[in-house]
Structures are given as structure tokens and as C-alpha cells.
Amino acid sequence: MTRAPRPDFLVIGAPKAGTTALHAALAQHPDVYVCDPKEPKYWLCDGAPPPAWCGPGDKHSQQEWIWRAEQYFPLFEPAAEHQVRGESTPFYLWSRSAHRRIAEDLPRVRLVAVVRDPIDRAYSNWMHLWSDGLEPESDFVTAFGREDERVRAGWAPFWRYRELGRYGEQLQHLHRHVDPARILVVRYRDLVDEPAATVDRVSRFLGIREGQVDTIPRDNSRAFVPPGWRPRVFGPVVRGGARLGQFAPPQVWRRVHPLTIGLLSDRSEAARPRLDAVCRQRLVDTYADDIGLLSELTGQDFEDWLSPESRGSYAERSATVTRLVDRGVSARR
């Protein structure tokens, strides 16, 4: 009997928490079929186009949302009969309305939520948009504090640096719609520190073979753009181009945008600075209650997120793990 083309699992979050890396790792598994595009965003919509978000680059991005059922479900038709089928849209964890839609239409789907230290996640989110030339604010803490203003102005979810990291509230709401036994919470640090074991854990959860994937590709981090005259002068040019991008097919903008980013820096691999410990400490209280809620819901300990020290980018963490492994030392702390 031929299966209906529907996803068996969804990687639901969070943005800048390793969902792209996990998606790429699962794509290597012979028992898994993942759709293209990776993030169709279908369950964020309700049979209608996405809201008219109006932040820098938002209108261009909306062209890539797949909101029609007749376009979404055929994405899973190429899967072999033995493969579990899935997609990865990290905003599903954040979206309360997506929780309801997923529960109603996919009653047996399995959900994988990848979570990262919320302050490191927010900093990486800001870094991504800043280095793309879309974030006009060169100071992360200032940009973090402008969230409510930007939400009122109609900027898209990716600009919600603070809110996207409140996983406890998000998971608590998701539990009202989906049996917690069908939800797996994975830590970003485990993807970095123990990639093979983490993919095996996800494989067990999905009911497929273990031991098929032993590495996780590098995440989709950007090269850092240092503040200075280039982003001040060319940043408005990039954002203007992003506004014009709404009138061009997405594939055209994807070819042009990397060229415009090249205006922002004369260094292709500028070092990404860690978030200053003093700045980080100022933001810890924003998440303390939610971190406690997440620990209660999952039975996992997230107290390390309350530390004023950042563990750095994916590249830094991976390099640290490699050095420690070579020395026979545990990477955990």
C-alpha cells in the first residue's frame, strides 16, 4: 500500500541552534528522506500567504514560503517506502498556531526540537543578520532591546532575538497539543560535543537504524563583518537591494545577495568576537525563569546557561572538542 506523501518527523527549532546541521546529518542517513527546500514553513501558514512582514529583507524571504497544500505535500513523494520523511523549519517551536495545525493534521508525527543557550542563540541570530547587511544596529544589546518596537512595526519572527529563545514557554504550549512522548529535545552542545551519539539518539527516536552517520556538517554561520565605515556606507545599499528583491524571483536574489555582502567587509574570514561577559550577564535574568521551566519540563539540567561565559561559535566549539579529544579529555563542562 502506497503511503500518503506526508512528513513523519519535523525538526521544529530553534533558529540558530543547529537545526541546519542536524538536517544535513539526517540527509546522509539511508533511512531518511528530507525535502528540498529544507524550510518550507508550511505549518506557519493556514492555507493563506504569510503575513506582510516589513523588516529588512522580510518581503523577499516571504516569496520562498510554501503555503499551498498542493505544493507542500508533493515534496515528500520522492521518498522510498522504507524511508522516514521530514523537513526542518525552526520557527515551528516558536509558533503557537503551528502547534495546533501540526497536532490536528499530523497526529502521529514526531518532533525534534534543538535548543541552544538562549543568549548565545540570540547573539548568533543578530550576527547572522548583521553580517548579511540586514541588521541596521551594530550593537547586539541595543538590537536585543529593540525587539518590542520591531514587533509592533511588523518585522518577521527571525528578528525576535529574545522571544525565540524562550523554549520553556514554547514547549509548555506544545505539550498542550502534542504528546510529550512524540517530542525529543536535543541540546546544541550535544550536536557539537557528541555528534555521532546525538544522531543515534535522534535515530532511535525516529525508529530507524543507528550507526549510519558519524559526523555532522558545519552549521550555517556567517563570516563576521566588523563595525566600521563599510557597513555604515554599504549597509543601507544592501537593505535597499533586499527591498527590491521582493520584485525578483528568489533564485535571482540568491545570486545577487552574496555579491552585495562582499561590499560590507574586505575580509572573508574575520574573527567572530565572543559576547562580552558583562553584556551577557545583563541578559541572563531575561531567561532565568524560562530556563527553570525548560528544566522542569524535560528533566534536563540547563543551569550552565545562567553562566556569564559564552562558549563561542560552532567553529570555536568544534575546534575545542577536537583538541580535548586528541588529549583524551572530556569536552563537557
Side-chain angles (χ1 to χ4, degrees):
M1 182 177 178
T2 303
R3 300 178 298 172
R6 305 177 79 77
D8 301 301
F9 73 90
L10 304 172
V11 179
I12 61 173
K16 304 306 295 181
T19 56
T20 297
L22 178 59
H23 180 95
L26 290 173
Q28 301 176 66
H29 197 298
D31 298 341
V32 174
Y33 172 83
V34 289
C35 72
D36 183 18
K38 164 188 168 274
E39 298 183 23
K41 300 184 175 70
Y42 176 77
W43 301 104
L44 297 176
C45 304
D46 195 9
W53 307 114
C54 58
D58 289 349
K59 292 186 183 298
H60 151 71
S61 175
Q62 287 169 220
Q63 294 185 65
E64 299 182 307
W65 289 39
I66 296 176
W67 57 272
R68 295 180 175 90
E70 60 268 26
Q71 293 179 319
Y72 178 71
F73 291 107
L75 294 175
F76 304 97
E77 289 179 348
E81 279 296 312
H82 72 281
Q83 292 179 309
V84 294
R85 303 153 299 179
E87 58 116 322
S88 304
T89 297
F91 295 100
Y92 291 159
L93 178 61
W94 162 82
S95 173
R96 291 359 183 224
S97 57
H99 299 170
R100 173 183 56 79
R101 294 180 192 126
I102 290 168
E104 290 175 354
D105 290 2
L106 301 173
R108 292 186 292 181
V109 75
R110 291 185 174 269
L111 307 177
V112 181
V114 189
V115 296
R116 179 182 186 179
D117 176 312
I119 300 173
D120 283 354
R121 191 222 65 81
Y123 186 53
S124 180
N125 192 158
W126 167 83
M127 186 90 64
H128 178 116
L129 290 166
W130 166 257
S131 297
D132 264 6
L134 299 176
E135 170 59 75
E137 178 53 64
S138 63
D139 177 71
F140 164 65
V141 175
T142 301
F144 188 95
R146 295 186 63 188
E147 178 166 325
D148 292 342
E149 166 193 337
R150 290 172 168 185
V151 169
R152 288 192 297 269
W155 290 29
F158 198 37
W159 296 95
R160 303 188 185 203
Y161 301 142
R162 179 188 71 246
E163 187 178 316
L164 286 169
R166 293 191 63 83
Y167 318 123
E169 294 176 355
Q170 296 161 17
L171 191 63
Q172 185 178 56
H173 185 272
L174 182 60
H175 282 180
R176 297 173 190 164
H177 295 272
V178 178
D179 182 350
R182 291 196 287 110
I183 304 168
L184 178 67
V185 176
V186 175
R187 293 192 61 154
Y188 176 83
R189 76 172 189 190
D190 293 337
L191 287 173
V192 180
D193 296 351
E194 301 173 345
T198 303
V199 175
D200 279 350
R201 182 182 170 212
V202 175
S203 297
R204 285 195 301 274
F205 176 69
L206 298 180
I208 57 179
R209 290 176 292 171
E210 299 176 39
Q212 302 297 305
V213 179
D214 57 9
T215 60
I216 290 182
R218 179 175 175 171
D219 71 350
N220 60 338
S221 57
R222 300 292 199 271
F224 178 59
V225 173
W229 72 269
R230 282 177 174 269
R232 282 199 305 271
V233 172
F234 294 117
V237 175
V238 173
R239 292 188 285 278
R243 283 192 293 272
L244 293 175
Q246 66 181 295
F247 302 111
Q251 58 269 25
V252 172
W253 173 247
R254 288 198 176 277
R255 287 198 299 268
V256 172
H257 189 48
L259 302 178
T260 64
I261 293 176
L263 298 171
L264 300 174
S265 176
D266 58 358
R267 288 177 282 173
S268 60
E269 291 295 334
R272 297 177 63 188
R274 290 195 180 195
L275 180 62
D276 179 81
V278 174
C279 293
R280 181 182 162 86
Q281 185 61 57
R282 288 168 55 190
L283 302 178
V284 164
D285 288 345
T286 302
Y287 294 105
D289 61 330
D290 191 74
I291 290 170
L293 176 59
L294 182 64
S295 296
E296 178 184 338
L297 292 170
T298 63
Q300 300 184 44
D301 183 4
F302 295 92
E303 288 296 311
D304 55 303
W305 288 356
L306 298 175
S307 167
E309 296 297 328
S310 167
R311 291 190 68 186
S313 67
Y314 184 92
E316 286 181 284
R317 294 163 68 112
S318 296
T320 298
V321 169
T322 300
R323 288 196 301 271
L324 291 175
V325 169
D326 289 345
R327 288 160 45 194
V329 180
S330 172
R332 292 211 173 263
R333 64 173 177 85

